């Protein structure tokens, strides 16, 4: 297995050492978290915007709309910066849609996916002219009923399960025939044929959505899914529909070891000949690629354990605040905020009462002491959005850095926040 690399100054890595201190946006990271304390998430908004601009430049020749996958990081400050930079949005719940609206996102450039939308969520989408990616017959019929009840027109695309296997973690493959997402090609064709016959009189069909998985190792899977999507669009056009939307989902990868990932340009180049001259608008939904590298979870060493099995550090964050290592066996680089001495493999664990609460099995770290700070890198995606209050731990604050200025975008939860919403019935 390749060893994680220490942070080096580059466009791909916003966190870098300056004179032995890990910095972000030119600010020493220990100073950034001095007011809030630890643990704390820190995001570089300038890096987020730069990543979006790179994806947009890559897909611009295709006339694509670059939609940020909100599930990766739903902080309002992050969403607001992306909206002002030019991003559209991909949401998977009514709550995420409300966040986009609160952050100033354009609902007309927002798509709503997910297999379990409620009637209330569908109504919210219709009321704001959001394109709904429907994932079942029942959902499409429910969307028709909601739109008719509101006296409004709704827009939809059919999410197609293309039955495409990709070489990524089993939990983030979404396009194979056993996945819960989307409908089979044959059923998609039937739904669009029904739309052409007028079975959904209050809905306007726009096209097709496909998504084969996350952390794609190459563009082949995305291209294969796109080909299937185009076939469904052409079948709908043959039935008499004016379809022009093909959302190819996300999947643009990052490299958690610190190396440069496969760039968005490669994926755009693979899609270009497929849609050329077909009158198709492309949607692409990067999430992780835009925010992962821009975020770090800063933690404080609580205790040291020197065991026969090797050195262990207990820190003040854990799987309740960064679930990825426990859920996906993900490997994040863990580095000292202040560089010090020779490094050796160190197990980094959190306070949660679970054996799976291991943030790093063998991080290369110096012999740190209680009170020293470490940064868990590439934590800007699927970190805070998957955090919980397990063991009744308050969730950490989120700090954003932009133009060399740090600000708290979300305060730390307090114990009173957790207990205040509960009552003991008489």
């Amino acid at each position: 297995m390749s060893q994680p690399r220490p942070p080096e100054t580059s466009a791909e890595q916003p966190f870098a050492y300056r004179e032995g201190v890990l910095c972000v946006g030119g600010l020493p990271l220990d100073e950034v978290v001095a007011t809030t304390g630890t643990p704390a998430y820190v995001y570089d908004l300038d890096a987020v915007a730069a990543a979006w601009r790179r994806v947009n430049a890559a897909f611009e020749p295709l006339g694509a709309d670059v939609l940020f996958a909100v599930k990766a990081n739903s902080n309002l400050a992050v969403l607001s910066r992306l909206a002002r930079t030019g991003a559209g949005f991909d949401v998977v719940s009514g709550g995420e849609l409300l966040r986009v609206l609160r952050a100033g996102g354009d609902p007309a450039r927002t798509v709503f996916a997910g297999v379990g939308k409620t009637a209330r969520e569908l109504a919210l989408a219709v009321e704001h002219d959001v394109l709904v990616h429907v994932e079942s017959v029942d959902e499409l019929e429910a969307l028709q009923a909601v739109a008719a009840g509101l006296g409004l027109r709704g827009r939809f695309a059919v999410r197609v399960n293309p039955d495409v296997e990709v070489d990524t973690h089993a939990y983030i493959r979404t396009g194979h025939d056993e996945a819960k997402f989307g409908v089979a090609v044959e059923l998609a064709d039937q739904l669009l044929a029904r739309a052409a016959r007028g079975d959904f009189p209050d809905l306007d069909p726009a096209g097709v959505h496909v998504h084969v998985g996350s952390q794609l190792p190459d563009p082949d899977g995305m291209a294969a899914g796109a080909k299937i999507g185009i076939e469904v669009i052409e079948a709908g056009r043959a039935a008499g529909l004016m379809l022009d939307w093909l959302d190819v989902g996300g999947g643009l990868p990052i490299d958690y070891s610190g190396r440069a990932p496969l760039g968005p340009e490669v994926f755009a180049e693979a899609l270009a000949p497929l849609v050329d001259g077909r009158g198709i608008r492309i949607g692409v939904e990067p999430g992780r690629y835009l925010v992962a590298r821009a975020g770090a979870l800063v933690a404080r060493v609580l205790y040291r354990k020197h065991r026969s099995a090797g050195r262990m550090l207990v820190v003040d964050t854990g799987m309740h605040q960064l679930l990825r290592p426990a859920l996906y066996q993900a490997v994040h680089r863990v580095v000292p905020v202040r560089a010090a001495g020779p490094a050796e493999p160190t197990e980094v664990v959190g306070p949660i009462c679970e054996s799976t609460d291991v943030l790093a099995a063998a991080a290369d770290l110096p012999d740190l002491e209680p009170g020293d700070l470490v940064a868990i890198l590439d934590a800007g995606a699927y970190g805070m959005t998957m955090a919980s209050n397990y063991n009744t731990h308050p969730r950490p604050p989120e700090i954003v850095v932009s133009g060399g200025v740090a600000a708290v975008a979300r305060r730390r939860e307090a114990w009173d926040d957790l207990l205040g919403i509960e009552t003991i019935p008489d």
Side-chain angles (χ1 to χ4, degrees), residues 97-123:
L97 176 52
L98 287 174
R99 283 181 170 273
V100 167
L101 296 173
R102 177 72 61 86
D106 182 356
R109 292 181 55 228
T110 300
V111 299
F112 191 167
V115 300
K117 308 178 194 73
T118 65
R120 184 181 181 189
E121 289 175 319
L122 291 174

Side-chain angles (χ1 to χ4, degrees), residues 400-424:
V400 295
V401 176
S402 179
V405 177
V408 177
R410 176 185 170 122
R411 68 168 175 83
R412 184 185 308 282
E413 290 178 343
W415 283 325
D416 285 346
D417 293 324
L418 308 188
L419 302 180
I421 60 174
E422 297 185 32
T423 59
I424 302 175

Side-chain angles (χ1 to χ4, degrees), residues 229-320:
I230 291 169
E231 291 175 3
V232 175
I233 287 174
E234 294 297 351
R237 286 173 168 177
L241 298 177
M242 303 291 289
L243 305 179
D244 66 352
W245 175 251
L246 175 62
D247 189 325
V248 297
L252 303 183
I254 74 157
D255 189 325
Y256 282 92
S257 71
R259 292 172 172 79
L262 196 64
E265 298 82 6
V266 177
F267 291 84
E269 290 168 2
L271 292 174
L274 303 180
V275 298
D276 184 45
R278 292 183 178 271
I280 289 177
R281 296 180 299 124
I282 288 286
V284 61
E285 303 170 356
R288 184 192 321 263
Y289 184 85
L290 301 189
V291 294
R293 285 284 174 85
L297 176 56
V298 184
R300 189 176 304 274
V301 176
L302 296 176
Y303 308 110
R304 295 174 292 183
K305 287 193 173 186
H306 294 275
R307 313 160 300 158
S308 59
R311 189 166 64 194
M312 174 187 286
L313 291 179
V314 183
V315 299
D316 61 358
T317 189
M319 62 181 285
H320 58 314

